[in-house]
Amino acid sequence: MNVNGFEPKIVAFTCNWCSYAAADLAGTSRIHYPPNVRIIRVMCSGMVDPIYVLKAFEAGFDGVLVAGCHIGDCHYISGNVKAQDRIEKLRRVLHTLGLEDERLKLEWISAAEGGGFAETVKEHVGQLKELGPSPFRKETTP
Amino acid sequence: MVGQVLTPRKEPVKILKDPLGNSFEFCYQCGLCTASCRTAYAMKYTPRQIMNLLQLGRVDEAAASGSGLLCTACYSCTFRCPRGVAVTDVMSAVQRLNLARKHADGDVRRFYRSFMRTVERHGRFHEVEFLARYFIPNPLLLTAEVGLGLKLLSKGKISLSPPTMKNRKAMAAMFRKAAEIEGRP
Amino acid sequence: MRYAYYPGCSLSGSSRECEEAIQAVMGVLGVKWTELEDWNCCGAASATGVSYLLSLALPARNLALAEQADSDLVTGCTRCYLNLIRAMHYIQHNANIRDNVNAVLAEAGVQYAGTARLRHVLDVIINDVGLDVVAERVTQPLNGLRVAAYYGCCQGMWTYAQFDSVEDPTCFDRLLAALGAEVVYYPLKTSCCGGSLSMSKRSVGANLIGDLLAAAVAAGADCIITACPLCMFNLNSFQNEAGKIKGTRFHIPVLFLAQLMGLAFGLPPKKLGLHRNVVPPDPLYRKIAAGAAASSVEAVASGPK
Amino acid sequence: MAEDKNNVKIGVYVCHCGSNIAGTVDVEELTRFAQEQTAVAVARNYKFMCSEPGQALIKKDIEELGLNRVVVASCSPRMHEPTFRHVCEDAGLNPYQLDMCNIREQCSWVHKDGATEKAKALVRAAASRAYYLEPLETRRVPVTPAVLVVGGGIAGIQAALKIADGGRKVYLVEREPSIGGHMIQLDKTFPTLDCSACITTPKMAAANAHPNIELMTYSEVVNVQGYVGNFKATIRRKPRYVDESLCTGCGVCQEKCPWKTESEFDCGLGPRKAIYTPFPQAVPNVPVIDPELCVYIQKDGKCGACLKFCERGAVDFSQTEKMVEVEVGAIIVATGYDLMDPSAISRLGYKRFPNVITSMEFERLCNATGPTGGHITVDGREPKSVAIIHCVGSRDQKYHTYCSRVCCMYALKFAHLIQEKVEDAKVYQFYIDMRCYGKGYEEFYQRAASEGITFIRGKPSQVTDLAMSEEEKGKLVVVCENTLVGRPLRVPVDTVILCPAMEARSDAKEVARLFNLSQSADGFLMERHAKLEPVATANDGVFIVGCAQGPKDIPDTVAQALAGAAEALALIDAGTVKLEAATATVSEALCHGCGRCEEICEFHAPTIVRRNGNPIPVSSINQAMCKGCGACAAACPTGAISIKHFTRQQILAELEALSGVPV
C-alpha cells in the first residue's frame, strides 16, 4: 500500500511539439496536477537517449515519463516510433536492475490534450505512491 | 408581489448522495429532454424547468412539483441530452425527495413503499401481498381495480403463494445496510 | 456458451405467458440454460423512488451471482435488463458507487467484481442462435400477417444499444421477416408505454397506451409485438381505459415476441401461454392459417421445381 | 569552443507576470535562491520581464556586468523565447546563451502548495543548463519565391490572388474539376444578401487569368518534402480526358453524352453527365470525364458520343495521370470543411422523409442555376410552411461540442428567401440561442424578425409523420418544447430544413500528416497560437486558413486567407530564412562510420563519407537538411553525434539539478 507521506519524484522528457505544449495548455487552462513532476523539454521523444533515463533513476527519481506525439503525428515523421522501440528495449535493462515497469512511462499526448497531460501525471504519481520509493533513491526529500 | 427574489442556494444541491444527480449543472436549457418526454405534458414543471430550478437552488419547489413522479425512466432524455446530463437520474433524485419529504399523497407514497416492503420481505415481488399493502388502507382504489384484478386472476396471472427465495435474510440485511449508508430512517 | 437465466419477477408472476413462450421457443432453438440460483428482484421501477443505492445493489447481487456461476446472465425482461446494465454501467464508472454497492452486497455475503456478462434473450436469439436457424425452425410461416413491431421505449435503448441501433433498432423487423410476417410502418415503435404509470397515474399511463394502440390500428396492424413484459401488461390490460380517453374502442391482440415465434414454429397456443393474454389472440390463428393455405396454393400453382 | 568556465557569468531574471506568478510563487525567495546558484552573477525580479523596462534591465546587466548567460524565469518559451533572444542579441550576446525557465504554465498556474519549491528546482536546473550553453550561429538559406496554395475555395482563391498581386508565383491546387468551393454552391450571402455566384465568379476568373497563378484543378498534393523556404511538393494531376488547350467549353459534349448520374454539386438533387463541368460558371470551363460512369472507358470503345461531336477534337482518352513537382518557399492549406450528414441523427428524419433537407440542399433549390431553376420545390411541391432546425450536430456532446458559427445567420437568410419566393409562407426557427455577432448581423436578425418569422426556442426531439390531430394530417410534425413557455409543442409543416454542423474534412488526418500539422481536439487543423498566431502552424512555412482551421463565415474566412497571404509574402520576400541552429554535429574522432544515423534519419541529412587520408569512413551531416530532431544522436552507438543546444552535457546537467543529486 501507499508508503505514508511518501512523495515520489518524477522527471518528464516532453516533446516540444506536443506534450510540452500540452503541459502549457494544462497551465493556460489552469488544470492542476501534483508538483512532483519536473519537465525537461526536448525537441522530440526520439531524442531521448536511454542514458538519460538510466541516469534519472541513478539520480534518485522514482519515475520517468517520456511523452511524445501520437503515432503518425510526429513532427519529425517517426521520432516517436524510434522512442517506442528504445523504451521497450530499455525496459528489459530496468527489469534486471529490479525496477518495476510502472516507473518508466511512455505516453502519447497531443498539443490539444492539456487535461490528458495532467491525468497522466496524476496517474503516474498514484502508481509510484503504490510502489514506494525507487530502490536507487539516495535520500527521500522530494 | 414584485416577483421572486433569488437567494443563493441554501441546500448544497448534492441530491441524496447520488453522484449523477448533480449533472443538471451542465444543462443549457435547450429543452430536448422535455421534447423527448412522453409525460412532460402532464408535469407541473417540464424536465428542463426542473434542471433550471435545481440550478437556481430551488430544490424544494422542484421536488414538491411532483414532476419526478411522472418520469417513467424511459431514458430518451438521457440518451439524447447534448450536454451529457443524466436527466433520468436527476428526475429520480427529485422523485425520491418528493416521496421522502411527503409531498405526494399517501396512496402514491404507499405504492412505492408497498413494493419495496414486499421485495424486502420475500426478495422477490409478490402481487398478492403488494396489492394487499397498497389497497387495504384505501379500499376505493381496490374497487377501481377490481375488474382488472379478476381478469388477471382468471387468466392465472396472479399466484397466491409467495415466491420462494432462499436467502431472504440477506435481502433484509441489504435493505438495512443501504438505509444506514444513505442515512434514511 | 453457458447461460444463467434470470426470469425476474414479472415473468415468473403476472407475465408468466411471456415466460412460458420464451421457454418453449428456446427449447425449439435448442438453447440450454440453468436458472440463476436464488436470484432476487431487480428493483423494477420503484427502487429508484426509494433508494438510489438499492436501485443499484439489488441488480448487482444478481450480477455477482452470475459471476460466481461464470455464465452469461440472460434475461427476457427489458426492465430487469435495464436495471442490471444500468448497475453494471454506473458501478464501473464510479468508484464511490462501487464501494457503497459492495458494502451493501457484503451483507448478502457476495461481492460484485465487474466481470459479469449480461445478455438479452433477443441478443442470444439473434447473435448466438442466428436468424438463419430461426428461419429453419419455421413450420407455419406468418405470411400475410401484418405486425406492428413495438420495440418499447429507451429502456429498450439500453438493450438495443448493446446489439442494435439505439434510436432506430431493426432487430424485430429482421426477426419477424425470418418468420414470414409483414412489418407495418409504426412511427411510435420506440415511444414509452408509460411503464408503471398505468398503476400509479392511470390517466397519464392510459393516454400514452392509447396513442400506441391508435397508431397500430391506423397502420392496419393485425397485432402488436413487444419484447417487454411491462409493455405487454400495459398494452393488453388497459385497452378499455385507453379507449375511453381516445373516444374509441380498442381490441387489438398484443403478443410477446416469443409467442409469435412459437406460433411460427408450429407450437400449440397453450404451450405459449396465449390463453393467458388479456386480449384473446384468436383472430390471428385464422389469419395465419389462411396465409399458410394461400402460400401452399401458390406452391402447388408454381408446380414442383 | 573551449571556454574557460570560470568566466561564466549567469544573470537570472524572475518575472512576476503581475500576479500570475507572484501570486503563487514567492518571487523574492526564488530570487535569493537563484543568487546562490553556481556562476550566477546577478538575480533580479520584476513585474513584467517582457515589458520595455524589463528588457532594458536585462540589456543593462549584460552590458555592464558582462553577463554571458541569461536565464529568464517566466512563461513558456513557446511564448517569449523569441522576445528574450532579441534582447540578448541587441545587447551583443548570442541568443542561444539564453535559457527560459517555465515557472508560469508549468508551475504557478498548475500548482498551489509546493509551487515555490518546484520553481526553485526549475531555476536551478535552468542555471546549470545555461552553464553549458554554447553560442550558435543561425544559418540563413535563400527562399524559393513561390507559394503553394492547397484548396480552391474562397479562402484559397483570395490568398492566391493577394500573393500573385504581390508579384509572386502561386500554384493553386484544387481537387475538384473547378475552383469555387462551397461558396459557389451558395445562393445568397448574409447579411447583405448579395448573390454568392456574382461575387465569387469574378474572383475565380481573376485567379484563372492571373499571370502569376498556375491553376491546377482536378489535382491533389500527394507528397511534401523539404523545409521552410524550400519545399518540394508533388502534385497528382488526374486525367480530364479533355485537352484544356483545345476545349472551348461549348458544352456540346455534355448535351450529347447519354450517361447520367446525380450531380455532386447539386447535392444529388439534379443530374450530371459522364462528361461534365460541375456548374455553368466552372473555372476552368473545361469538362472532365468521370471514368467510373463513362462507358467508353468502362466498356473500352463503346459509345464515344463526346469524341464524335467535339468539333475541336478536344476529347482525348489517351490522357493519363501525371505527377508534377513544384518548388515553393511557403504553403497555404485551405482545404475547407465537410457538412455533417444528418442521417446520423435518425430521429430528425433526414433520408427517411423526402421533404427533410439540409441547408446546402436548400441553397441549391433556391439558386437560379440549381436543379429547380430557383423555384423552391421540395418533394414535388412548393412548401407553404417550413421548419428550420438549428444546431443539428453542433453544440452537442454526442456529435460536435463546438458551435458552427454560421447556422443562425443563414437560417435567417433562408427565412427571408422563402418569404420572398413563396407567397404567404410560414417559417419557424427552432433555435437554442441566436448567435448574430458579426458586423451587420444583429441588424439582419432584426430585419428578418420583422418579416413575420416565428421563433421557437427549443431543440426538437424528432420530426415525425404521425398525425395526432387533423391539422397534422399529411404534414411533417416537429416535436419540441417551447422553452419560453415551458410546454411541449408540435408544429406541423410541409418541409424541414436541417442546419448540420460544419465538421473537419473526412481526410483531415491525412492532410495533417502530409503537411506535418497537428489537429485540435475537434479534428480541425491546429494553429500555432489561438490568439496571436491564428494562421501559422507548428510547421514553419505552412499556414492554415479558412474552415480547415475551424468553422467560419465568409468574412472571417477571407480575412484569414489574406492573413495567410501576408504571412507567406513576408516569409518569401525576406529572401532568406533562418534555419534551425540546433542541429546535429559529428565528432569525427568518435565516429566509426557505422551508418546507423544514415539509416535512421527521415530527412537524409547524414551521409557516410571518406575523408582523404582517413581509413575509417565518418558520418557527415547536411546542416540545411537536418531538423535537429536528435533521432541520430540517441541512436549513435559511440555517442559521436550530439545535438547543438540539446547536448548530453546540457541535458544531464539539467537532470542533475532537478534531482538535487549529482549524476
Side-chain angles (χ1 to χ4, degrees), chain B residues 5-76:
Chain B
V5 177
L6 180 63
T7 51
R9 289 183 187 177
K10 272 189 265 48
E11 350 190 14
V13 199
K14 279 250 162 283
I15 308 180
L16 298 188
K17 307 162 191 72
D18 169 355
L20 292 159
N22 295 299
S23 55
F24 64 81
E25 306 271 7
F26 311 130
C27 173
Y28 67 1
Q29 295 290 306
C30 70
L32 180 53
C33 45
T34 307
S36 304
C37 181
R38 289 205 73 205
T39 59
Y41 79 91
M43 295 179 179
K44 175 161 184 240
Y45 292 126
T46 65
R48 176 193 56 83
Q49 289 174 310
I50 293 290
M51 302 303 133
N52 185 241
L53 284 170
L54 296 175
Q55 286 172 334
L56 297 177
R58 280 151 56 182
V59 180
D60 209 59
E61 203 172 336
S65 71
S67 295
L69 294 166
L70 283 162
C71 172
T72 63
C74 79
Y75 280 87
S76 311

Side-chain angles (χ1 to χ4, degrees), chain B residues 32 79-82, chain C residues 166-167, chain D residues 340-348 391-402 459 501-503 521-522:
Chain B
L32 180 53
F79 265 85
R80 292 170 180 173
C81 176
Chain C
V166 172
E167 287 271 11
Chain D
M340 177 184 156
D341 175 1
S343 56
I345 311 176
S346 59
R347 59 177 192 271
L348 293 181
C391 299
V392 173
S394 304
R395 305 187 64 199
D396 187 333
Q397 276 191 354
K398 299 247 172 344
Y399 306 95
H400 300 299
T401 316
Y402 54 82
K459 189 177 174 66
M502 295 166 89
E503 55 187 16
D522 57 17

Side-chain angles (χ1 to χ4, degrees), chain D residues 406-468:
Chain D
V406 295
C407 322
C408 286
M409 285 304 294
Y410 73 60
L412 291 171
K413 175 189 77 182
F414 287 180
H416 174 84
L417 293 175
I418 293 165
Q419 292 185 317
E420 194 175 65
K421 295 194 172 205
V422 181
E423 208 181 321
D424 53 59
K426 281 250 123 274
V427 184
Y428 305 94
Q429 300 276 357
F430 293 85
Y431 70 101
I432 305 174
D433 300 298
M434 289 303 293
R435 295 184 167 178
C436 309
Y437 48 80
K439 183 170 184 176
Y441 289 11
E442 189 63 27
E443 293 83 340
F444 187 72
Y445 179 11
Q446 216 170 56
R447 170 181 171 186
S450 71
E451 293 170 340
I453 308 168
T454 311
F455 289 88
I456 299 168
R457 190 189 176 285
K459 189 177 174 66
S461 64
Q462 59 166 330
V463 173
T464 176
D465 60 351
L466 178 73
M468 291 292 209

Side-chain angles (χ1 to χ4, degrees), chain C:
Chain C
M1 193 86 66
R2 292 175 54 205
Y3 301 117
Y5 179 60
Y6 175 75
C9 304
S10 319
L11 284 179
S12 43
S14 53
S15 305
R16 63 188 46 185
E17 71 274 24
C18 307
E19 170 68 358
E20 287 159 351
I22 289 176
Q23 294 294 357
V25 164
M26 290 317 237
V28 174
L29 294 175
V31 175
K32 306 245 173 307
W33 59 34
T34 49
E35 182 164 322
L36 182 69
E37 181 68 25
D38 206 41
W39 56 268
N40 62 273
C41 170
C42 70
S46 302
T48 47
V50 174
S51 159
Y52 181 75
L53 191 44
L54 280 176
S55 75
L56 296 168
L58 288 174
R61 177 172 177 272
N62 297 309
L63 294 165
L65 294 178
E67 282 176 349
Q68 285 176 0
D70 183 31
S71 342
D72 291 17
L73 184 63
V74 183
T75 176
C77 170
T78 315
R79 182 76 216 199
C80 296
Y81 189 97
L82 161 69
N83 286 345
L84 289 161
I85 198 159
R86 171 172 171 270
M88 288 171 80
H89 188 73
Y90 289 2
I91 292 171
Q92 179 193 348
H93 289 95
N94 187 308
N96 161 279
I97 293 182
R98 192 196 315 111
D99 300 345
N100 285 336
V101 166
N102 274 324
V104 173
L105 290 184
E107 298 294 313
V110 288
Q111 288 291 287
Y112 173 53
T115 60
R117 300 176 302 276
L118 178 65
R119 310 289 304 278
H120 191 285
V121 168
L122 263 173
D123 174 11
V124 172
I125 293 176
I126 289 167
N127 298 313
D128 294 5
V129 176
L131 291 178
D132 44 350
V133 177
V134 172
E136 284 167 17
R137 298 285 184 279
V138 173
T139 62
Q140 178 69 285
L142 306 179
N143 302 341
L145 189 69
R146 294 169 56 79
V147 179
Y150 177 52
Y151 288 77
C153 69
C154 311
Q155 289 186 8
M157 278 189 175
W158 281 94
T159 319
Y160 305 126
Q162 309 311 311
F163 60 91
D164 199 344
S165 152
V166 172
E167 287 271 11
D168 189 18
T170 59
C171 53
F172 281 29
D173 304 54
R174 285 178 273 133
L175 193 52
L176 290 163
L179 305 179
E182 177 194 346
V183 180
V184 301
Y185 175 62
Y186 190 52
L188 291 182
K189 70 179 189 180
T190 56
S191 297
C192 178
C193 72
S196 56
L197 284 183
S198 58
M199 296 301 288
S200 62
K201 200 102 175 65
R202 177 67 45 84
S203 58
V204 179
N207 182 27
L208 304 194
I209 293 164
D211 293 339
L212 297 175
L213 296 171
V217 173
D222 299 318
C223 65
I224 301 175
I225 293 302
T226 168
C228 168
L230 190 54
C231 301
M232 177 82 179
F233 177 77
N234 281 340
L235 294 186
N236 261 306
S237 313
F238 302 103
Q239 298 203 353
N240 297 344
E241 291 78 351
K244 287 198 194 75
I245 294 176
K246 297 293 171 190
T248 169
R249 287 189 58 79
F250 292 117
H251 193 77
I252 179 169
V254 181
L255 272 67
F256 201 63
L257 183 52
Q259 289 183 314
L260 195 64
M261 290 178 75
L263 289 176
F265 293 165
L267 298 172
K270 201 151 171 53
K271 202 158 180 292
L272 300 166
L274 281 156
H275 58 295
R276 302 188 196 276
N277 287 29
V278 174
V279 178
D282 306 58
L284 298 183
Y285 306 154
R286 290 189 286 281
K287 185 106 185 179
I288 293 169
S295 54
S296 56
V297 171
E298 280 163 30
V300 176
S302 59
K305 302 265 172 310

